[in-house]
Amino acid sequence: MKRTAFFISDGTGLTAEALGHALLAQFEKIDFERVTVPYIDDEDKAREMVIRINKAAEVDGERPLVFDTIVNSTIREIISDAEGFMIDIFGTFLSPLEQELSSSSSYSVGKSHSINNEGSYERRIHAVNFALDNDDGARTRHYDEADLILVGASRSGKTPTCLYLALQYGIKAANYPITEEDLDDQKMPAALRPHKEKLFGLTIDPERLATIRNERRPNSRYSSIQQCMHEIEEIELMYKRERIPYLNTTAYSVEEISTRIMVTTGLKRHR
């Protein structure tokens, strides 16, 4: 079964997309064609959007789902005439909030993703630059500035997690790959010892790791299941021996990994 789902907004569309995806994820048996359309910010664009929605309804034989975070009431009314099932995200929640808070909404476009806190924005940009500069153990002399240091086998998800933590939470996260040489020594790498309280380990099922590594270096010792099994076994033993908190990333998205790290470590979002 296939249905088209539009995420439309007079801003970036990120809020409509995030909430819409979260809701549609509950319907695993349905194949959704997902279409994000940002900056529907005038009446002509709204009318063009109606044509797109109606065309999708004709092709699918079912009315599309339309998740919108459009603030302008005139534009919203135009789109509501389309042959779609409308989920008006702002309209659903703003009115009850206005009543509870005894205050009117500003009805401003793009508030949730604007730079309304310059300090927080600058912090996130600095954190992203820190993650890039301290990726893959390239530099260790700045670890005293880190909020967090992720460790783990190569290709276990350290880099994307560091970048997500930086961008979403403003966390300065470095990452350090545990190599075969480190495992042979049976000791925590010297560069990490002074920063043990900042360490968080990532692990992954060996079969999944072998699949990921094969995409990078097919048919190599690095990507063999035997090598992956050896590394993961030894790394997890190191985590336990050194009492480093760790997480198996196999079944989790980068968003879930990051959130679980924040909860486990007690780190707070920088606002």
Coordinates of all heavy atoms in Angstrom, one line a residue, residues 110-156:
G110 N 9.3 30.6 10.9 CA 10.7 30.2 11.1 C 11.3 30.4 12.5 O 12.5 30.2 12.7
K111 N 10.4 30.6 13.5 CA 10.9 30.9 14.8 C 11.7 29.7 15.4 O 12.7 29.8 16.1 CB 9.8 31.2 15.8 CG 9.3 32.6 15.7 CD 10.3 33.6 16.3 CE 9.8 35.0 16.4 NZ 10.8 35.9 17.0
S112 N 11.2 28.5 15.1 CA 11.9 27.3 15.8 C 13.3 27.0 15.3 O 14.0 26.3 15.9 CB 11.0 26.0 15.6 OG 10.8 25.7 14.2
H113 N 13.6 27.5 14.1 CA 14.9 27.3 13.5 C 15.7 28.6 13.2 O 16.7 28.5 12.6 CB 14.8 26.5 12.2 CG 14.1 25.2 12.4 ND1 14.8 24.1 13.0 CD2 12.9 24.7 12.1 CE1 13.9 23.1 13.1 NE2 12.8 23.4 12.5
S114 N 15.2 29.7 13.8 CA 15.9 30.9 13.6 C 17.1 31.1 14.6 O 17.2 30.4 15.6 CB 15.0 32.1 13.8 OG 14.5 32.1 15.1
I115 N 18.0 32.1 14.3 CA 19.1 32.3 15.2 C 18.6 33.3 16.3 O 18.9 34.5 16.3 CB 20.3 32.9 14.5 CG1 20.7 32.0 13.3 CG2 21.5 33.1 15.4 CD1 21.8 32.6 12.5
N116 N 17.7 32.8 17.2 CA 17.1 33.7 18.2 C 17.9 33.7 19.4 O 17.6 34.5 20.3 CB 15.6 33.3 18.5 CG 15.5 31.8 18.8 OD1 16.5 31.1 19.1 ND2 14.3 31.3 18.7
N117 N 18.9 32.9 19.5 CA 19.9 33.0 20.6 C 21.3 32.9 20.0 O 21.8 31.8 19.7 CB 19.6 31.8 21.6 CG 20.5 31.9 22.8 OD1 21.7 32.4 22.7 ND2 20.0 31.4 23.9
E118 N 21.9 34.1 19.8 CA 23.1 34.1 19.1 C 24.2 33.3 19.8 O 25.1 32.7 19.2 CB 23.6 35.6 18.9 CG 24.6 35.7 17.8 CD 24.8 37.2 17.4 OE1 23.8 37.9 17.4 OE2 26.0 37.5 17.0
G119 N 24.2 33.4 21.1 CA 25.2 32.7 21.9 C 25.1 31.2 21.7 O 26.2 30.5 21.5
S120 N 23.9 30.6 21.7 CA 23.7 29.2 21.5 C 24.1 28.8 20.1 O 24.8 27.8 19.9 CB 22.2 28.9 21.7 OG 22.0 27.5 21.3
Y121 N 23.8 29.6 19.1 CA 24.2 29.4 17.7 C 25.7 29.3 17.6 O 26.3 28.4 17.0 CB 23.6 30.4 16.8 CG 23.9 30.2 15.3 CD1 23.3 29.3 14.6 CD2 24.9 31.0 14.7 CE1 23.6 29.1 13.2 CE2 25.2 30.8 13.4 CZ 24.6 29.9 12.6 OH 24.9 29.7 11.3
E122 N 26.4 30.3 18.1 CA 27.8 30.4 18.0 C 28.5 29.1 18.7 O 29.4 28.6 18.3 CB 28.4 31.7 18.7 CG 28.1 32.9 17.9 CD 28.8 32.9 16.5 OE1 29.9 32.4 16.4 OE2 28.2 33.4 15.6
R123 N 27.9 28.7 19.9 CA 28.4 27.6 20.6 C 28.3 26.3 19.7 O 29.2 25.5 19.7 CB 27.6 27.4 21.9 CG 27.8 26.1 22.6 CD 29.1 26.0 23.3 NE 29.4 24.6 23.7 CZ 30.3 24.3 24.6 NH1 31.0 25.2 25.3 NH2 30.5 23.0 25.0
R124 N 27.2 26.2 19.0 CA 27.0 25.0 18.2 C 28.0 25.0 17.0 O 28.6 24.0 16.6 CB 25.6 24.9 17.7 CG 24.6 24.4 18.8 CD 23.2 24.2 18.2 NE 22.5 25.5 18.0 CZ 21.8 25.7 16.9 NH1 21.7 24.8 15.9 NH2 21.2 26.9 16.8
I125 N 28.2 26.2 16.4 CA 29.2 26.3 15.3 C 30.6 25.9 15.8 O 31.4 25.2 15.2 CB 29.2 27.7 14.7 CG1 27.8 27.9 14.0 CG2 30.3 27.8 13.7 CD1 27.5 26.9 13.0
H126 N 31.0 26.5 17.0 CA 32.3 26.1 17.6 C 32.4 24.6 17.9 O 33.5 24.0 17.7 CB 32.5 26.9 18.8 CG 32.8 28.4 18.6 ND1 33.7 28.8 17.7 CD2 32.3 29.5 19.2 CE1 33.8 30.2 17.7 NE2 32.9 30.6 18.6
A127 N 31.3 24.0 18.3 CA 31.3 22.6 18.7 C 31.5 21.8 17.4 O 32.2 20.8 17.4 CB 30.0 22.2 19.4
V128 N 30.9 22.2 16.3 CA 31.0 21.5 15.0 C 32.5 21.6 14.6 O 33.1 20.5 14.2 CB 30.1 22.0 13.9 CG1 30.4 21.5 12.6 CG2 28.6 21.7 14.3
N129 N 33.0 22.7 14.6 CA 34.4 22.9 14.2 C 35.4 22.1 15.1 O 36.3 21.5 14.6 CB 34.8 24.4 14.3 CG 34.2 25.2 13.2 OD1 33.9 24.7 12.1 ND2 34.0 26.5 13.4
F130 N 35.1 22.0 16.4 CA 35.9 21.2 17.3 C 35.8 19.7 16.9 O 36.8 19.0 16.9 CB 35.4 21.4 18.8 CG 36.2 20.7 19.8 CD1 37.3 21.2 20.3 CD2 35.8 19.4 20.2 CE1 38.1 20.5 21.3 CE2 36.5 18.7 21.1 CZ 37.7 19.3 21.7
A131 N 34.6 19.2 16.6 CA 34.4 17.8 16.2 C 35.2 17.5 15.0 O 35.8 16.5 14.9 CB 32.9 17.5 16.0
L132 N 35.2 18.4 14.0 CA 35.9 18.2 12.8 C 37.4 18.2 13.0 O 38.2 17.4 12.4 CB 35.5 19.3 11.7 CG 34.1 19.2 11.2 CD1 33.8 20.4 10.4 CD2 33.9 17.9 10.4
D133 N 37.9 19.1 13.9 CA 39.3 19.3 14.1 C 39.9 18.1 15.0 O 41.1 17.9 15.0 CB 39.6 20.6 14.8 CG 39.5 21.8 13.9 OD1 39.5 21.6 12.7 OD2 39.3 22.9 14.4
N134 N 39.0 17.5 15.7 CA 39.4 16.4 16.7 C 38.8 15.1 16.3 O 38.5 14.3 17.2 CB 39.1 16.8 18.1 CG 39.9 18.0 18.6 OD1 41.0 17.9 19.0 ND2 39.2 19.2 18.4
D135 N 38.7 14.9 15.0 CA 38.1 13.6 14.5 C 39.1 12.5 14.3 O 40.3 12.8 13.9 CB 37.4 13.9 13.1 CG 36.8 12.7 12.5 OD1 36.0 12.0 13.3 OD2 37.0 12.4 11.3
D136 N 38.8 11.3 14.7 CA 39.6 10.1 14.4 C 41.0 10.2 15.0 O 41.9 9.6 14.5 CB 39.7 10.0 12.8 CG 39.8 8.5 12.4 OD1 39.2 7.7 13.2 OD2 40.3 8.2 11.4
G137 N 41.0 10.8 16.2 CA 42.3 10.8 16.9 C 43.4 11.6 16.3 O 44.6 11.6 16.6
A138 N 43.0 12.5 15.3 CA 44.0 13.3 14.6 C 44.7 14.2 15.5 O 45.9 14.5 15.3 CB 43.3 14.1 13.5
R139 N 44.0 14.8 16.5 CA 44.7 15.7 17.4 C 44.2 15.3 18.8 O 43.0 15.0 19.0 CB 44.3 17.1 17.2 CG 44.7 17.7 15.9 CD 44.3 19.1 15.7 NE 44.6 19.7 14.4 CZ 44.3 20.9 14.0 NH1 43.6 21.7 14.8 NH2 44.6 21.3 12.8
T140 N 45.1 15.2 19.8 CA 44.7 14.9 21.1 C 45.1 16.0 22.1 O 44.7 15.9 23.3 CB 45.4 13.6 21.6 OG1 46.8 13.7 21.5 CG2 45.0 12.4 20.7
R141 N 45.8 17.0 21.7 CA 46.3 18.0 22.6 C 45.1 18.9 23.1 O 45.3 19.7 24.0 CB 47.4 18.8 22.0 CG 47.0 19.7 20.8 CD 48.2 20.4 20.2 NE 47.9 21.2 19.1 CZ 47.9 20.8 17.8 NH1 48.1 19.5 17.6 NH2 47.6 21.7 16.8
H142 N 44.0 18.9 22.4 CA 42.9 19.7 22.8 C 41.8 19.0 23.6 O 40.7 19.5 23.8 CB 42.2 20.4 21.5 CG 43.1 21.2 20.7 ND1 43.8 22.3 21.2 CD2 43.5 21.2 19.4 CE1 44.6 22.9 20.3 NE2 44.4 22.2 19.2
Y143 N 42.1 17.8 24.0 CA 41.1 17.0 24.7 C 40.7 17.6 26.0 O 39.6 17.3 26.5 CB 41.7 15.6 24.9 CG 41.5 14.6 23.7 CD1 41.1 15.1 22.5 CD2 41.9 13.3 23.9 CE1 41.0 14.3 21.4 CE2 41.8 12.4 22.8 CZ 41.3 12.9 21.5 OH 41.2 12.1 20.5
D144 N 41.5 18.5 26.6 CA 41.1 19.2 27.8 C 39.9 20.1 27.6 O 39.2 20.4 28.5 CB 42.3 19.9 28.4 CG 42.9 21.0 27.5 OD1 42.8 20.7 26.2 OD2 43.4 22.0 27.9
E145 N 39.7 20.5 26.3 CA 38.6 21.4 26.0 C 37.3 20.6 25.7 O 36.2 21.1 25.7 CB 38.9 22.2 24.8 CG 40.1 23.1 24.9 CD 40.4 23.9 23.6 OE1 39.4 24.1 22.9 OE2 41.5 24.1 23.4
A146 N 37.4 19.3 25.5 CA 36.3 18.4 25.1 C 35.3 18.2 26.3 O 35.7 18.1 27.5 CB 36.8 17.1 24.7
D147 N 34.0 18.2 25.9 CA 33.0 17.8 26.9 C 32.9 16.3 26.9 O 32.5 15.7 28.0 CB 31.6 18.4 26.5 CG 31.6 19.9 26.4 OD1 32.0 20.5 27.4 OD2 31.1 20.4 25.4
L148 N 33.3 15.6 25.8 CA 33.1 14.2 25.7 C 34.1 13.7 24.7 O 34.4 14.4 23.7 CB 31.7 13.9 25.1 CG 31.2 12.5 24.8 CD1 31.0 11.8 26.2 CD2 30.0 12.5 24.0
I149 N 34.6 12.5 24.9 CA 35.5 11.8 23.9 C 34.9 10.4 23.6 O 34.8 9.6 24.5 CB 36.9 11.7 24.5 CG1 37.5 13.1 24.9 CG2 37.8 11.0 23.4 CD1 38.8 13.0 25.7
L150 N 34.5 10.2 22.4 CA 33.9 8.9 22.0 C 35.1 8.0 21.6 O 36.0 8.5 20.8 CB 33.0 9.1 20.8 CG 31.6 9.8 21.1 CD1 30.7 9.7 19.9 CD2 30.9 9.1 22.3
V151 N 35.1 6.8 22.0 CA 36.1 5.8 21.6 C 35.4 4.6 21.1 O 34.2 4.3 21.4 CB 37.0 5.4 22.8 CG1 37.8 6.6 23.3 CG2 36.2 4.8 24.0
G152 N 36.1 3.8 20.2 CA 35.5 2.6 19.7 C 36.2 2.2 18.4 O 37.2 2.9 18.0
A153 N 35.8 1.1 17.9 CA 36.4 0.5 16.7 C 36.2 1.5 15.5 O 35.2 2.2 15.5 CB 35.9 -0.9 16.4
S154 N 37.0 1.4 14.5 CA 36.8 2.1 13.3 C 35.5 1.7 12.6 O 35.1 0.6 12.5 CB 38.0 1.8 12.3 OG 37.7 2.3 11.0
R155 N 34.7 2.7 12.2 CA 33.4 2.6 11.6 C 32.3 2.1 12.5 O 31.3 1.6 12.1 CB 33.5 1.6 10.4 CG 34.6 1.8 9.4 CD 34.7 3.2 8.9 NE 33.7 3.5 7.9 CZ 33.5 4.6 7.3 NH1 34.2 5.7 7.6 NH2 32.5 4.8 6.4
S156 N 32.4 2.5 13.8 CA 31.4 2.1 14.8 C 30.4 3.3 15.0 O 29.5 3.2 15.8 CB 32.0 1.7 16.1 OG 32.8 2.7 16.7

